[in-house]
Amino acid sequence: EVQLVESGGGLVQPGGSLRLSCAASGFTFSGYWMHWVRQAPGKGLVWVSRINNDGRSTNYADSVKGRFTISRDNARDMLYLQMNSLRAEDTAVYYCARPVGDTRNAMDVWGQGTTVTVSS
Amino acid sequence: QSVLTQPPSASGTPGQRVTISCSGSSSNIGSNTVNWYQQLPGTAPKLLIYRNNQRPSGVPDRFSGSKSGTSASLAISGLQSEDEADYYCAAWDDRLNGVLFGGGTKLTVL
């Protein structure tokens, strides 16, 4: 079964750091670009970042550029999101997602999400 | 404010056909393909349409997508109560170098 499972969310103070993890299984992880997408409470979907197959190419939303870092470990089938200098507006459910087939951005496999709350 | 503009709400009765629009610009919809997602309450999004009009396996053919210029549409025919959900369009933006999501449309089945 193709599956993504996020972990690492929690409550953190403004200015703090958190590292999210996404464990992939049931497919050849190294063959796919991967994404992080977030959703603030009661709000819409917002794309955060993506990384290519070998981890050498990354893109970020302007709102997180310079604060968040996406990375992957293909040997362990793991995707990560290192989040620094967290702000209240980063509070959201964070999803990792895998694109379909040979597309880079059409995300057809999603994790269940992990909740990040930034508050003092 | 999303760069991809969707109506905040839409509605229809069972069996009806409804469409949801998504308006963008030359740097996103005008030069890249459009994807559509469905999100039921409390669940992760689900890919409904990719590359403007392709359906992933398992998505009923009641769902269809189209694109013209800098706009796209999602059509749902034979509306069913289980279609009540939030719908999002998305496209790569060449200027921002990122994926843009629309603000979402809440579909109500009356």
Side-chain angles (χ1 to χ4, degrees):
Chain A
E1 180 193 4
V2 175
Q3 196 172 12
L4 297 171
V5 179
E6 302 95 337
S7 60
L11 174 64
V12 61
Q13 292 189 338
S17 298
L18 214 53
R19 187 176 87 151
L20 306 183
S21 300
C22 170
S25 60
F27 65 98
T28 304
F29 180 68
S30 60
Y32 292 86
W33 292 60
M34 293 294 295
H35 295 253
W36 287 99
V37 176
R38 70 184 182 184
Q39 187 169 33
K43 303 296 185 181
L45 301 173
V46 175
W47 176 80
V48 174
S49 181
R50 76 171 185 179
I51 188 168
N52 77 330
N53 308 44
D54 63 12
R56 295 184 183 185
S57 176
T58 59
N59 300 98
Y60 297 91
D62 286 346
S63 58
V64 307
K65 206 171 291 183
R67 299 188 299 124
F68 291 10
T69 302
I70 190 172
S71 63
R72 63 192 298 160
D73 184 340
N74 285 344
R76 299 186 176 189
D77 293 345
M78 294 293 295
L79 176 72
Y80 303 102
L81 186 68
Q82 177 66 43
M83 304 186 296
N84 298 331
S85 304
L86 282 162
R87 307 166 180 168
E89 54 263 37
D90 296 319
T91 294
V93 174
Y94 285 73
Y95 297 100
C96 62
R98 187 206 79 174
V100 63
D102 62 348
T103 73
R104 293 181 179 178
N105 304 312
M107 296 165 250
D108 78 325
V109 180
W110 295 69
Q112 84 288 351
T114 187
T115 300
V116 173
T117 303
V118 184
S119 175
S120 54
Chain B
Q1 185 175 356
S2 300
V3 179
L4 299 186
T5 302
Q6 298 180 235
S9 64
S11 63
T13 55
Q16 223 177 8
R17 181 178 187 270
V18 298
T19 61
I20 297 172
S21 63
C22 176
S23 176
S25 67
S26 58
S27 63
N28 41 70
I29 294 178
S31 52
N32 295 289
T33 58
V34 178
N35 307 311
W36 289 90
Y37 300 87
Q38 176 194 60
Q39 188 176 32
L40 300 171
T43 68
K46 172 187 174 182
L47 182 65
L48 272 186
I49 297 289
Y50 68 102
R51 285 180 174 159
N52 303 327
N53 55 20
Q54 303 299 301
R55 279 186 308 276
S57 60
V59 174
D61 59 7
R62 302 187 297 105
F63 295 90
S64 62
S66 63
K67 180 184 123 172
S68 178
T70 58
S71 294
S73 291
L74 172 71
I76 309 171
S77 59
L79 199 61
Q80 300 178 3
S81 57
E82 54 261 40
D83 298 333
E84 192 160 284
D86 294 324
Y87 293 83
Y88 297 88
C89 60
W92 181 260
D93 189 288
D94 292 331
R95 182 175 60 85
L96 297 176
N97 263 330
V99 174
L100 285 179
F101 282 95
T105 297
K106 183 174 184 60
L107 176 63
T108 301
V109 181
L110 303 170

